[in-house]
Amino acid sequence: MDLSRKLTGILAAGILAAGSLTVPVPVSAAGRSAPSTRDFANGPERNDIAALTTSLPLTAAARAATPAAAKHRGYPRRTGLRVYPENPADKSIKLGLVPYHAIAPHLNALQRASDRVSAEIAGHSALGRDLYLVTVTAPETAAEATRQDRWRALIENDPAAARRDRALARDYKTPVWINANIHGNEWEGTDGALRVIERLATATDTATARLLSRTRIYVTVTNNPDGRIAGTRANGAGFDINRDHATSSQPESRAVRDVVIATQPVVMLDEHGYTGTTLIEPATPPHGQNYEYDLYIKHALPNALGMEAAIQKLGYAETARADIPFRDYAPGDWDDWPPIFTPMYAIYQGAVGHTVEVPLQVNGGLYDSLPVAELRRRSGINTAVAASTIGAAITYADTHRAQLLADQIEQFRRGWAGAPSPVIPDGYVDGFGPEDHYSTTFPRAYVIPAGTAQRSPAAAARLVDHLVAHDVRVTQAKVPFALNGKKYPAGSYVVDMHQPKRGLANVLLEAGRDISDLVPQMYDISGWSHRLLWGASVDISRTAAPRTRTKPVTIASPTGAVTATPGRNLSLTLRDAADVRALNSLLDQGITVRRTDASTVVVPAAARRAAQDAASRFGVRFTAADRKATGTVVTRPVVAAAAAADELFALREMGFEVRPVSTALLNAGTADLTGVDTLVVSSGLSYSQLNTTAKATLDAVLTHAGVVTRGSTGAAFNTAANLLPATAVAGRGDANGVVNVTNTGPVVGAGSLPNSFVYSPLWFTGTGFTVEQRYAATRPLVAGHWLPTGPGVGGQAQAAGQAAVVSGTTARGGRAVLFGTEPLFRTHPKGLYAQFARALYWSAG
């Protein structure tokens, strides 16, 4: 066991900060320093910088129809890529790198010059730009390409037959996938990938020809063109794409999801930067407990060592060594626990996935402060590192193709067979020890009920469609059935865990695990659960699968309905985001809707046709309203929001009119507060930092408008603006995960899920307000990581039983709701959206 991986944690000393961290220097067994740095996962911007917009599309001309893909299925597929106008503002130009507008002409030229290169459009960015997928391989006829497709399907669908197929073992082209530039201001992966593509396309040696005769190399050249051009980590909607793979809210993550499913790579790299020293995964524990980790680490570690050797051969002082977290770091310092990162997600799809971080920083403040010559020197080295790691990984995949192929087949075989999670002995690879043991017991099946047994039919359909899109096998019962003493109607969905990608199915649906006592800190989220947070009812069957007739699901059945008889007023319960979208759609049409309580609205019988349209469009169900129901008229609130990009996205997704606001906009007098009904404060708005005029303007709004806050910025605003007499208490800054809650209040608490999500959790003390939701009375965390800030401070024990969400009438006469939880976090906890929406309607009066 490598003693340098002791449980001390190189981030422990600074983990409570919410900003960018400079990591203290780890020391390896050989006594070498490893001066790596990394951005802290969530970043200070989420609470400090209000988003001003999300996803402003390109002009109609720029979004002209993408050229059609080649009609034949062989290779090469010479797609003429559309060429974008030159953009002198592209941030990559200063670094001497390839600007986005030059990529298509370069690929078009390579396609004309070489029969080894095919370029296609894999999707589009948030702002509508093309996402390029390049395939480099020896030419194939349509029949040969079809045979490759059949073999790839056989590996997943019938691994036992694939293992016996000698022709497959001999002639299958093992796929390798390279993903570049997922963080827009980590540029050089694109340039390194283009260098490798060009070399492979033009090489005349027999070794390259042999390589391409037995390999397909797929490259997503820039996964984030919007960020590449703007010099931002996030995409054009303000999202970190490399946190979105379990949620798929962004077009860029959906595009690469589809690429990895369609190509089924045995090895993949995700090229990033900048860590001071080149960093190459495999990662530290905690390791994802749903991996077939033995099949992964046996290749990941030697492949990383090969990439380290390749960068050493470059001869730069800055590339004399690499950091390999599995070998060099303490548990929790660079983990592979959540499926939100591209390489970790790819592991579940059958790949040996690696993050590669090129070494020399050229972004952030250094982009503006360093001389251009130094920036270009650094980018030149970074490009060489990216190219050399890509080349070394391709070499490893080719050299070990037989074993990589056999192990991918074995991963899928275990899934179909329902084999137990692997038990890996210490010493399995150099440095594998007790701290690396993570495994799970897979359930036999999950059941998603249909009909009245389902809490939210729209949420159930959304979850099923999400699973299917990720290549999780879902079936639907043709007839009623019973399982574990419970009866299920026909139409219920079954996720039989005897399937090839059972690890992915389970990592999305399981509750997860509280790993607080296992590692001292985590880099990013440690808990998530589509079963607990997406709003659908999902049952677990530990040992038995349903014995009933089923059919495979490609898309969920429609769920919308109006069940009341004609002439009856209609009732809609706001349990899910789909219900909120339906309500806002009706309000947009000028239909008079009344609210009988915070979670229930009544639509007049005369609007039945509009309700039917909303039911069909959004999948919601209208039932018969109580004949005596009256209530108050609901209007769609006009919302001014000082909020993070993910929150703006979620609010607009639910159909709210949202006007961005911030301290800067208010002080400049450019914030539009006309007719605002509710103010959302979670990021970038400080009451104490407003100038006199701005404060007076906002004070006038607060005399009639409601306020909804989230997090530390919102809590500080509440105190400074003298709204509710609630004192916010902060949990540890990196604490996060799925929590148990008790719903007690009439607004947020009404009909809410028994679980919520937290990141940097808060709770509220005091009197003079209504407690809407409390953390569970004992150890609230279901899954994730939550340690105390210090002895008896900021931990789960201190939060237990405390108020997580509160509401009340403010000292100014308006209404306010304060969230200590994260109901819109990265648009992931979709089953919590309606809580926030109900708070908006209620606070707006």
Side-chain angles (χ1 to χ4, degrees), residues 585-631:
S585 174
L586 295 174
L587 295 175
D588 284 345
Q589 298 173 57
I591 295 170
T592 300
V593 179
R594 295 181 179 274
R595 186 177 66 229
T596 58
D597 57 42
S599 63
T600 308
V601 297
V602 174
V603 179
R608 184 182 182 89
R609 177 60 61 87
Q612 289 172 328
D613 291 342
S616 175
R617 182 180 177 190
F618 302 112
V620 302
R621 294 191 179 185
F622 293 86
T623 59
D626 189 312
R627 294 185 186 277
K628 298 180 180 180
T630 54

Side-chain angles (χ1 to χ4, degrees), residues 665-712:
L665 291 176
L666 285 165
N667 283 339
T670 56
D672 182 7
L673 299 180
T674 306
V676 166
D677 299 301
T678 299
L679 175 68
V680 173
V681 182
S682 62
S683 180
L685 177 53
S686 170
Y687 187 84
S688 61
Q689 292 179 14
L690 295 175
N691 61 36
T692 302
T693 302
K695 192 172 290 186
T697 300
L698 190 58
D699 284 343
V701 171
L702 294 177
T703 61
H704 63 84
V707 178
V708 178
T709 76
R710 190 271 307 162
S712 58

